[in-house]
Amino acid sequence: MATGDTGNTGRQRKDPVAGLLLAAGGGSRIGGPKAVIEVGGRRLVDRGVSTLSGGGCDPVMVVLGAADTPVRGAHTVINADWATGMGSSVRAGIDALPDAVDAVLIALADQPLVTSEAVRRLLDAHEQGARAAVATYGGNPRNPVLLGREHWSAVHNMAVRDTGARPFLRAYSHLVTAVACDDIASPQDIDTAEDLERVSGLLRGA
């Protein structure tokens, strides 16, 4: 599994896809906002932005909440309702997407083992006609998730409390393209200090 971010290939995509990084959580189980937690000397929010931009997303947007912090290379969206759960961040991010964008790729800041290669693989599926796509690991859908503009309203309506795009993926599974990313990424997230130590070790090993 490749765990390092890679640079953008520079290839011009025919339809713009925004990257949306959800980084608003308070990190109650780890002792502070996840966005500003450092892994390998870099904040999770900065790693996420690099992953999305390196995979070809443009523009890149970050939803912040518990930590209102400057983020280079991205437009920030403040979610005042972040404490209600991830659903409010999904809605805030969708509401802020520019009109020129054809699709959005949603990623989570606390999954630093998701790579630019995985992002690029989903964007390639979009270029080949997929209007909704999800990265899978061992056949299980996780993150990132790509959504064409025509699906934003449904996702917005279904994103409540601590759920994001998952209800949409289940309800409209017949419309979703599964994109295997086992060989290039991992959806392991960071919720606790033990998770942080484990993921940091994997990044060092890579």
Side-chain angles (χ1 to χ4, degrees):
M1 179 190 69
T3 55
D5 296 329
T6 61
N8 197 322
T9 60
R11 183 177 62 180
Q12 294 296 314
R13 296 185 178 276
K14 61 181 181 181
D15 296 311
V17 177
L20 182 62
L21 185 70
L22 306 185
S28 59
R29 295 171 60 191
I30 202 170
K34 293 182 182 180
V36 296
I37 290 174
E38 290 194 1
V39 179
R42 296 176 68 194
R43 301 183 306 170
L44 286 175
V45 67
D46 297 321
R47 282 185 171 274
V49 168
S50 178
T51 295
L52 292 174
S53 62
C57 292
D58 186 22
V60 175
M61 308 178 71
V62 177
V63 181
L64 297 173
D68 183 359
T69 181
V71 181
R72 295 185 62 184
H75 306 277
T76 56
V77 179
I78 303 302
N79 174 20
D81 297 324
W82 64 268
T84 65
M86 182 171 58
S88 62
S89 290
V90 171
R91 297 193 304 272
I94 289 176
D95 288 342
L97 290 170
D99 293 338
V101 170
D102 178 66
V104 62
L105 186 140
I106 302 174
L108 307 183
D110 67 353
Q111 295 182 335
L113 300 181
V114 168
T115 61
S116 291
E117 289 91 339
V119 171
R120 195 172 299 118
R121 196 169 283 184
L122 285 169
L123 265 59
D124 286 345
H126 171 253
E127 280 207 337
Q128 294 164 17
R131 299 301 299 167
V134 61
T136 64
Y137 307 86
N140 298 312
R142 294 291 300 273
N143 290 295
V145 175
L146 183 142
L147 301 163
R149 175 176 285 275
E150 66 273 24
H151 300 311
W152 295 356
S153 177
V155 174
H156 192 285
N157 292 336
M158 293 180 172
V160 296
R161 294 183 292 279
D162 220 19
T163 62
R166 187 177 301 171
F168 172 86
L169 297 176
R170 288 176 174 170
Y172 297 96
S173 59
H174 58 290
L175 300 177
V176 180
T177 299
V179 179
C181 292
D182 312 66
D183 58 325
I184 53 173
S186 167
Q188 293 186 58
D189 53 15
I190 296 175
D191 287 325
T192 65
E194 292 75 18
D195 295 336
L196 177 59
E197 183 176 356
R198 182 184 68 256
V199 172
S200 297
L202 291 171
L203 286 168
R204 285 194 299 270

